[in-house]
Amino acid sequence: MTAAVLGVIGGSGVYDLPGLEDVREEAVSSPWGQPSDALRIGRIGETRIVFLARHGRGHRLSPTGIDYRANIDALKRAGVTDIVSLSACGSFREELPPGLFVLVDQFVDRTHGRASSFFGNGCVAHVSMAHPVGPRLQDRIAAAAKAEDIAVVRGGTYVCMEGPQFSSLAESRAYKAQGFDVIGMTNMPEAKLAREAEITYATIAMVTDFDCWHPGHDAVDVAAVVAVARANADKAARLVARLARDFPQTREPCPAGSHRALDGAIMTAPAARDPALMAKLDAVAGRALAG
Ligand SMILES: CSC[C@H]1O[C@H](OP(=O)(O)O)[C@H](O)[C@@H]1O
Ligand SMILES: Nc1ncnc2[nH]cnc12
Protein backbone atom coordinates (compact mmCIF):
# COMPACT_ATOMS: atom_id res chain seq x y z
CA MET A 1 0.00 0.00 0.00
CA THR A 2 1.25 3.45 -0.91
CA ALA A 3 0.96 6.29 1.60
CA ALA A 4 -1.18 9.13 0.25
CA VAL A 5 0.57 12.50 -0.03
CA LEU A 6 -1.44 15.46 -1.23
CA GLY A 7 0.36 17.95 -3.45
CA VAL A 8 -1.06 21.44 -3.79
CA ILE A 9 0.10 23.66 -6.65
CA GLY A 10 -0.80 27.27 -5.95
CA GLY A 11 -1.32 29.50 -8.95
CA SER A 12 -1.73 33.26 -9.34
CA GLY A 13 -2.33 34.83 -5.93
CA VAL A 14 -1.65 31.57 -4.07
CA TYR A 15 1.97 31.54 -2.93
CA ASP A 16 1.49 29.84 0.43
CA LEU A 17 -0.92 27.46 2.13
CA PRO A 18 -2.36 28.83 5.38
CA GLY A 19 -3.15 26.04 7.83
CA LEU A 20 -0.13 23.94 6.89
CA GLU A 21 1.48 22.63 10.11
CA ASP A 22 4.98 21.38 10.99
CA VAL A 23 6.27 23.01 7.82
CA ARG A 24 9.77 22.50 6.51
CA GLU A 25 11.13 23.79 3.24
CA GLU A 26 13.03 21.57 0.89
CA ALA A 27 14.73 22.70 -2.31
CA VAL A 28 14.34 19.46 -4.24
CA SER A 29 16.63 19.20 -7.22
CA SER A 30 15.40 17.55 -10.38
CA PRO A 31 17.27 16.17 -13.40
CA TRP A 32 14.67 18.00 -15.53
CA GLY A 33 15.53 21.51 -14.38
CA GLN A 34 14.66 24.01 -11.70
CA PRO A 35 11.34 23.66 -9.85
CA SER A 36 9.43 26.93 -9.42
CA ASP A 37 10.29 27.19 -5.72
CA ALA A 38 11.30 25.19 -2.67
CA LEU A 39 8.66 22.68 -1.63
CA ARG A 40 6.81 23.47 1.58
CA ILE A 41 6.28 20.13 3.25
CA GLY A 42 3.96 19.71 6.22
CA ARG A 43 0.62 18.27 7.25
CA ILE A 44 -2.98 19.22 7.81
CA GLY A 45 -4.54 16.85 10.32
CA GLU A 46 -2.95 13.48 9.61
CA THR A 47 -2.52 14.15 5.90
CA ARG A 48 0.92 14.83 4.50
CA ILE A 49 0.93 17.90 2.25
CA VAL A 50 3.49 19.24 -0.19
CA PHE A 51 2.87 22.79 -1.41
CA LEU A 52 4.48 24.37 -4.46
CA ALA A 53 3.96 27.93 -5.68
CA ARG A 54 3.61 27.47 -9.44
CA HIS A 55 5.00 30.88 -10.37
CA GLY A 56 7.41 30.95 -7.43
CA ARG A 57 7.08 33.30 -4.50
CA GLY A 58 6.94 36.87 -5.77
CA HIS A 59 5.43 35.51 -9.02
CA ARG A 60 8.81 35.36 -10.77
CA LEU A 61 7.86 32.88 -13.48
CA SER A 62 5.63 33.38 -16.50
CA PRO A 63 3.34 30.55 -17.67
CA THR A 64 5.80 29.85 -20.51
CA GLY A 65 8.85 30.05 -18.25
CA ILE A 66 7.67 27.54 -15.65
CA ASP A 67 9.58 24.26 -15.79
CA TYR A 68 6.54 21.98 -15.51
CA ARG A 69 8.64 18.82 -15.78
CA ALA A 70 10.87 19.88 -12.91
CA ASN A 71 7.82 20.74 -10.80
CA ILE A 72 6.06 17.40 -11.34
CA ASP A 73 9.31 15.45 -10.94
CA ALA A 74 10.08 17.26 -7.66
CA LEU A 75 6.58 16.54 -6.34
CA LYS A 76 6.96 12.88 -7.32
CA ARG A 77 10.32 12.72 -5.52
CA ALA A 78 8.58 14.14 -2.44
CA GLY A 79 6.15 11.22 -2.54
CA VAL A 80 3.11 13.10 -3.88
CA THR A 81 0.34 10.78 -5.08
CA ASP A 82 -2.41 13.34 -5.75
CA ILE A 83 -2.22 16.94 -6.97
CA VAL A 84 -4.78 19.65 -6.48
CA SER A 85 -4.09 22.57 -8.77
CA LEU A 86 -5.42 25.96 -7.69
CA SER A 87 -5.73 28.05 -10.82
CA ALA A 88 -7.13 31.44 -11.73
CA CYS A 89 -9.12 31.41 -14.93
CA GLY A 90 -11.35 33.42 -17.22
CA SER A 91 -14.92 32.29 -17.89
CA PHE A 92 -16.83 31.84 -21.17
CA ARG A 93 -20.18 31.37 -19.49
CA GLU A 94 -22.61 33.79 -17.91
CA GLU A 95 -23.43 31.15 -15.29
CA LEU A 96 -19.75 30.83 -14.25
CA PRO A 97 -19.13 34.30 -12.80
CA PRO A 98 -16.01 35.61 -11.04
CA GLY A 99 -15.69 34.15 -7.55
CA LEU A 100 -17.05 30.73 -8.53
CA PHE A 101 -14.91 27.58 -8.34
CA VAL A 102 -15.19 25.18 -11.27
CA LEU A 103 -14.03 21.57 -10.92
CA VAL A 104 -13.05 21.11 -14.54
CA ASP A 105 -12.74 17.61 -15.94
CA GLN A 106 -11.32 18.25 -19.41
CA PHE A 107 -8.44 20.23 -20.87
CA VAL A 108 -7.68 21.49 -24.36
CA ASP A 109 -4.02 22.18 -24.96
CA ARG A 110 -3.36 25.29 -27.07
CA THR A 111 0.15 25.82 -25.76
CA HIS A 112 3.16 25.54 -28.03
CA GLY A 113 6.83 25.07 -27.48
CA ARG A 114 6.55 23.89 -23.88
CA ALA A 115 8.25 20.64 -22.93
CA SER A 116 5.18 18.49 -22.53
CA SER A 117 6.49 14.98 -21.92
CA PHE A 118 9.07 13.19 -19.81
CA PHE A 119 9.41 10.66 -22.63
CA GLY A 120 10.93 10.94 -26.10
CA ASN A 121 13.65 9.40 -28.25
CA GLY A 122 15.25 6.60 -26.27
CA CYS A 123 12.14 5.86 -24.25
CA VAL A 124 8.83 6.38 -26.03
CA ALA A 125 5.58 6.23 -24.05
CA HIS A 126 1.96 7.08 -24.80
CA VAL A 127 -0.33 7.49 -21.81
CA SER A 128 -4.09 7.99 -22.00
CA MET A 129 -5.36 11.54 -21.48
CA ALA A 130 -8.99 10.62 -22.19
CA HIS A 131 -9.94 11.44 -18.60
CA PRO A 132 -7.23 13.77 -17.31
CA VAL A 133 -8.85 14.46 -13.93
CA GLY A 134 -9.11 11.83 -11.21
CA PRO A 135 -12.87 11.37 -10.61
CA ARG A 136 -12.43 10.14 -7.04
CA LEU A 137 -10.16 13.05 -6.16
CA GLN A 138 -12.73 15.38 -7.69
CA ASP A 139 -15.47 13.69 -5.63
CA ARG A 140 -13.45 14.43 -2.52
CA ILE A 141 -12.99 18.09 -3.50
CA ALA A 142 -16.73 18.40 -4.17
CA ALA A 143 -17.51 16.82 -0.78
CA ALA A 144 -15.10 19.18 0.96
CA ALA A 145 -16.72 22.15 -0.78
CA LYS A 146 -20.15 20.99 0.35
CA ALA A 147 -18.95 20.56 3.92
CA GLU A 148 -17.51 24.10 3.86
CA ASP A 149 -20.56 25.57 2.12
CA ILE A 150 -18.46 26.70 -0.83
CA ALA A 151 -20.25 26.84 -4.19
CA VAL A 152 -18.59 24.77 -6.90
CA VAL A 153 -19.67 23.67 -10.34
CA ARG A 154 -18.65 20.15 -11.34
CA GLY A 155 -17.45 19.55 -14.87
CA GLY A 156 -16.13 21.86 -17.53
CA THR A 157 -13.45 22.26 -20.14
CA TYR A 158 -10.37 24.38 -19.46
CA VAL A 159 -8.59 25.62 -22.56
CA CYS A 160 -4.93 26.33 -21.92
CA MET A 161 -3.49 29.15 -24.04
CA GLU A 162 0.18 30.01 -24.30
CA GLY A 163 -0.04 33.62 -23.16
CA PRO A 164 1.34 35.66 -21.56
CA GLN A 165 -0.92 38.13 -23.41
CA PHE A 166 -4.61 37.65 -22.81
CA SER A 167 -6.84 36.64 -25.76
CA SER A 168 -8.07 38.95 -28.50
CA LEU A 169 -11.82 39.45 -28.78
CA ALA A 170 -11.90 37.17 -31.84
CA GLU A 171 -10.05 34.42 -29.96
CA SER A 172 -12.27 34.81 -26.92
CA ARG A 173 -15.44 34.54 -29.03
CA ALA A 174 -14.01 31.54 -30.89
CA TYR A 175 -13.18 29.69 -27.64
CA LYS A 176 -16.68 30.43 -26.35
CA ALA A 177 -18.24 29.21 -29.62
CA GLN A 178 -16.20 26.02 -29.39
CA GLY A 179 -17.88 25.25 -26.10
CA PHE A 180 -14.92 25.74 -23.79
CA ASP A 181 -15.91 26.84 -20.29
CA VAL A 182 -12.83 28.48 -18.82
CA ILE A 183 -9.38 29.61 -19.90
CA GLY A 184 -5.99 29.74 -18.25
CA MET A 185 -2.32 29.53 -19.15
CA THR A 186 -0.90 26.79 -16.93
CA ASN A 187 -2.82 23.55 -16.60
CA MET A 188 -1.22 22.14 -19.73
CA PRO A 189 1.23 20.49 -19.86
CA GLU A 190 1.01 20.21 -16.07
CA ALA A 191 -1.89 17.72 -16.22
CA LYS A 192 -0.19 15.65 -18.95
CA LEU A 193 3.03 15.42 -16.97
CA ALA A 194 1.18 14.48 -13.78
CA ARG A 195 -0.47 11.63 -15.71
CA GLU A 196 2.89 10.43 -17.05
CA ALA A 197 4.23 10.53 -13.50
CA GLU A 198 1.23 8.45 -12.34
CA ILE A 199 0.05 11.25 -10.06
CA THR A 200 -3.71 11.79 -9.86
CA TYR A 201 -4.58 15.35 -10.86
CA ALA A 202 -7.56 17.66 -10.28
CA THR A 203 -8.02 21.38 -10.74
CA ILE A 204 -9.99 23.91 -8.80
CA ALA A 205 -10.41 26.55 -11.49
CA MET A 206 -11.17 29.79 -9.68
CA VAL A 207 -13.03 32.15 -12.00
CA THR A 208 -11.56 35.64 -11.84
CA ASP A 209 -13.02 37.31 -14.96
CA PHE A 210 -15.07 37.02 -18.14
CA ASP A 211 -12.01 37.24 -20.37
CA CYS A 212 -12.99 39.83 -23.02
CA TRP A 213 -16.10 38.42 -24.76
CA HIS A 214 -18.73 39.76 -22.34
CA PRO A 215 -20.37 42.99 -23.52
CA GLY A 216 -21.28 43.93 -19.93
CA HIS A 217 -17.77 43.55 -18.48
CA ASP A 218 -14.42 45.16 -19.12
CA ALA A 219 -11.75 43.05 -20.79
CA VAL A 220 -9.66 41.11 -18.29
CA ASP A 221 -6.56 42.71 -16.84
CA VAL A 222 -4.14 41.72 -14.08
CA ALA A 223 -5.71 44.06 -11.52
CA ALA A 224 -9.09 42.33 -11.91
CA VAL A 225 -7.55 38.86 -11.64
CA VAL A 226 -5.54 39.78 -8.55
CA ALA A 227 -8.52 41.42 -6.82
CA VAL A 228 -10.71 38.32 -7.25
CA ALA A 229 -7.84 35.94 -6.45
CA ARG A 230 -7.23 37.81 -3.17
CA ALA A 231 -10.90 37.66 -2.30
CA ASN A 232 -10.86 33.90 -3.05
CA ALA A 233 -7.74 33.06 -1.06
CA ASP A 234 -9.46 32.31 2.22
CA LYS A 235 -12.12 30.16 0.55
CA ALA A 236 -9.48 28.19 -1.32
CA ALA A 237 -7.49 27.60 1.87
CA ARG A 238 -10.61 26.39 3.72
CA LEU A 239 -11.46 24.04 0.88
CA VAL A 240 -7.98 22.52 0.78
CA ALA A 241 -7.87 22.21 4.58
CA ARG A 242 -11.17 20.31 4.64
CA LEU A 243 -10.06 18.12 1.74
CA ALA A 244 -6.85 17.33 3.60
CA ARG A 245 -8.57 16.58 6.90
CA ASP A 246 -10.87 14.06 5.21
CA PHE A 247 -8.20 12.56 2.94
CA PRO A 248 -7.44 8.80 3.12
CA GLN A 249 -4.07 7.78 4.53
CA THR A 250 -3.33 5.31 1.76
CA ARG A 251 -3.55 5.99 -1.94
CA GLU A 252 -6.86 5.11 -3.53
CA PRO A 253 -6.89 3.52 -6.98
CA CYS A 254 -7.94 6.10 -9.56
CA PRO A 255 -10.92 5.15 -11.80
CA ALA A 256 -9.19 7.04 -14.63
CA GLY A 257 -6.13 4.81 -14.20
CA SER A 258 -3.71 7.56 -13.18
CA HIS A 259 -2.08 5.41 -10.47
CA ARG A 260 -0.94 2.93 -13.16
CA ALA A 261 -0.88 5.18 -16.23
CA LEU A 262 2.41 3.76 -17.50
CA ASP A 263 1.25 0.15 -17.53
CA GLY A 264 1.48 -0.91 -21.16
CA ALA A 265 2.35 2.65 -22.26
CA ILE A 266 6.10 2.29 -22.81
CA MET A 267 6.87 1.24 -26.40
CA THR A 268 10.65 1.16 -26.47
CA ALA A 269 12.23 -2.27 -26.05
CA PRO A 270 14.52 -2.51 -23.02
CA ALA A 271 17.60 -3.06 -25.21
CA ALA A 272 16.79 0.07 -27.27
CA ARG A 273 16.38 2.45 -24.33
CA ASP A 274 18.71 5.39 -23.83
CA PRO A 275 20.51 4.96 -20.49
CA ALA A 276 20.78 8.74 -19.93
CA LEU A 277 17.01 9.22 -20.35
CA MET A 278 16.30 6.15 -18.23
CA ALA A 279 18.32 7.68 -15.41
CA LYS A 280 16.24 10.89 -15.56
CA LEU A 281 13.03 8.84 -15.45
CA ASP A 282 13.97 7.21 -12.14
CA ALA A 283 11.34 9.04 -10.13
CA VAL A 284 8.41 9.55 -12.50
CA ALA A 285 8.60 6.11 -14.10
CA GLY A 286 10.28 4.20 -11.30
CA ARG A 287 7.32 1.95 -10.54
CA ALA A 288 6.66 0.98 -14.15
CA LEU A 289 10.32 0.47 -15.02
CA ALA A 290 10.94 -1.68 -11.96
CA GLY A 291 7.92 -3.87 -12.78
C1 LIG B 1 -2.47 36.82 -13.46
S1 LIG B 1 -3.53 36.49 -14.79
C2 LIG B 1 -2.85 35.20 -15.78
C3 LIG B 1 -2.22 34.06 -15.03
O1 LIG B 1 -3.13 33.60 -14.01
C4 LIG B 1 -3.33 32.22 -14.17
O2 LIG B 1 -2.29 31.55 -13.45
P1 LIG B 1 -2.49 30.19 -12.63
O3 LIG B 1 -3.11 29.20 -13.57
O4 LIG B 1 -1.13 29.78 -12.19
O5 LIG B 1 -3.42 30.53 -11.47
C5 LIG B 1 -3.20 32.05 -15.67
O6 LIG B 1 -3.05 30.69 -16.03
C6 LIG B 1 -2.03 32.91 -16.00
O7 LIG B 1 -0.82 32.26 -15.72
N1 LIG C 1 -9.00 35.49 -19.04
C1 LIG C 1 -7.92 34.78 -18.77
N2 LIG C 1 -7.19 34.24 -19.77
C2 LIG C 1 -6.10 33.49 -19.50
N3 LIG C 1 -5.65 33.24 -18.27
C3 LIG C 1 -6.35 33.75 -17.24
N4 LIG C 1 -6.15 33.67 -15.92
C4 LIG C 1 -7.12 34.36 -15.32
N5 LIG C 1 -7.97 34.92 -16.23
C5 LIG C 1 -7.50 34.54 -17.45
Side-chain angles (χ1 to χ4, degrees), residues 88-90 161 166 183-185 208-209 211 220 225:
C89 65
M161 65 182 295
F166 291 114
I183 184 164
M185 303 180 190
T208 51
D209 57 88
D211 202 42
V220 57
V225 172

Side-chain angles (χ1 to χ4, degrees), residues 15 25-28 34-40 51-58 60-61 71 74:
Y15 309 104
E25 289 209 0
E26 205 174 307
V28 173
Q34 186 70 39
S36 296
D37 209 326
L39 302 182
R40 290 174 64 75
F51 177 81
L52 176 62
R54 180 184 281 130
H55 301 271
R57 272 165 279 185
R60 285 175 300 107
L61 299 169
N71 284 353

Side-chain angles (χ1 to χ4, degrees), residues 41-125:
I41 302 175
R43 61 172 183 84
I44 295 178
E46 297 300 306
T47 300
R48 292 164 61 199
I49 309 278
V50 180
F51 177 81
L52 176 62
R54 180 184 281 130
H55 301 271
R57 272 165 279 185
H59 207 113
R60 285 175 300 107
L61 299 169
S62 81
T64 306
I66 292 167
D67 192 328
Y68 296 93
R69 289 192 301 193
N71 284 353
I72 296 296
D73 178 74
L75 291 171
K76 184 80 181 181
R77 286 178 196 280
V80 167
T81 54
D82 300 78
I83 289 175
V84 174
S85 140
L86 296 170
S87 302
C89 65
S91 163
F92 294 119
R93 291 196 187 283
E94 200 84 55
E95 62 277 20
L96 304 178
L100 190 66
F101 290 1
V102 185
L103 308 184
V104 297
D105 51 14
Q106 283 295 326
F107 299 101
V108 172
D109 192 353
R110 286 286 158 80
T111 66
H112 43 84
R114 298 182 186 182
S116 63
S117 179
F118 290 109
F119 297 91
N121 293 350
C123 189
V124 178

Side-chain angles (χ1 to χ4, degrees), residues 68-69 71-77 80-81 83 118-119 127 190-200 251 258-262 281 283-288:
Y68 296 93
R69 289 192 301 193
N71 284 353
I72 296 296
D73 178 74
L75 291 171
K76 184 80 181 181
R77 286 178 196 280
V80 167
T81 54
I83 289 175
F118 290 109
F119 297 91
V127 298
E190 196 173 85
K192 288 176 172 170
L193 295 164
R195 178 57 57 86
E196 287 187 344
E198 300 190 323
I199 298 175
T200 305
R251 183 174 196 182
S258 53
H259 63 301
R260 299 188 76 87
L262 290 173
L281 289 167
V284 294
R287 184 202 66 80

Side-chain angles (χ1 to χ4, degrees), residues 218-249:
D218 289 340
V220 57
D221 62 15
V222 163
V225 172
V226 169
V228 180
R230 281 219 180 97
N232 277 341
D234 173 57
K235 226 168 45 163
R238 266 195 300 123
L239 179 48
V240 171
R242 172 67 72 151
L243 172 72
R245 281 201 299 274
D246 296 342
F247 213 65
Q249 294 306 294

